[in-house]
Amino acid sequence: MIQVLSYYLGFVKKHMMLPGKVENWICVIDTKDIGIFGLPSGLGDIIKTMALNFVGCLHRMYVLNPSTGVDLSWKTGAAFMDDESKSKNVFLTSKNLDKLKEAIPSD
């Protein structure tokens, strides 16, 4: 799975991005009704692979509807991260999903 994703994203980066232009990706992960132990085991590996192989490509990662366990895990891990990395990860509940709509241009 990780090899397929890496190949696909590498293909997109090489053939679909405009040379000399800064293009960034927005990832959206919906964790509704999934607790910390219900997350797919490969999700962490996918995030690590993307962080190593596609440095500078991520603009924002939106995690929608995080459970309390996911939110607490993030807050624990975020204590060890730099401010720029922390600002790229946005956790949104159903009450503030409008922030995601603001990030996606409608034109």
Side-chain angles (χ1 to χ4, degrees):
M1 170 80 171
I2 293 174
Q3 291 174 334
V4 172
L5 180 63
S6 293
Y7 175 80
Y8 174 73
L9 293 175
F11 183 87
V12 167
K13 186 176 177 182
K14 183 176 180 181
H15 298 287
M16 301 177 105
M17 301 290 185
L18 297 174
K21 303 290 181 185
V22 177
E23 298 198 48
N24 291 308
W25 300 339
I26 296 175
C27 293
V28 178
I29 300 173
D30 189 2
T31 60
K32 185 176 182 178
D33 299 328
I34 300 175
I36 188 69
F37 298 110
L39 292 173
S41 59
L43 183 61
D45 294 333
I46 290 171
I47 292 171
K48 287 177 194 174
T49 301
M50 288 183 68
L52 290 172
N53 297 314
F54 302 99
V55 176
C57 292
L58 181 67
H59 175 64
R60 290 272 185 282
M61 179 181 303
Y62 290 95
V63 180
L64 308 180
N65 305 307
S67 67
T68 305
V70 171
D71 196 41
L72 288 174
S73 295
W74 164 250
K75 289 178 181 175
T76 302
F80 301 101
M81 298 174 78
D82 61 284
D83 290 337
E84 184 178 348
S85 295
K86 284 191 277 191
S87 69
K88 289 185 175 193
N89 297 283
V90 180
F91 286 70
L92 300 174
T93 62
S94 58
K95 295 177 185 175
N96 58 1
L97 285 177
D98 291 336
K99 290 183 180 181
L100 181 61
K101 291 178 186 176
E102 292 171 10
I104 301 171
S106 60
D107 294 341

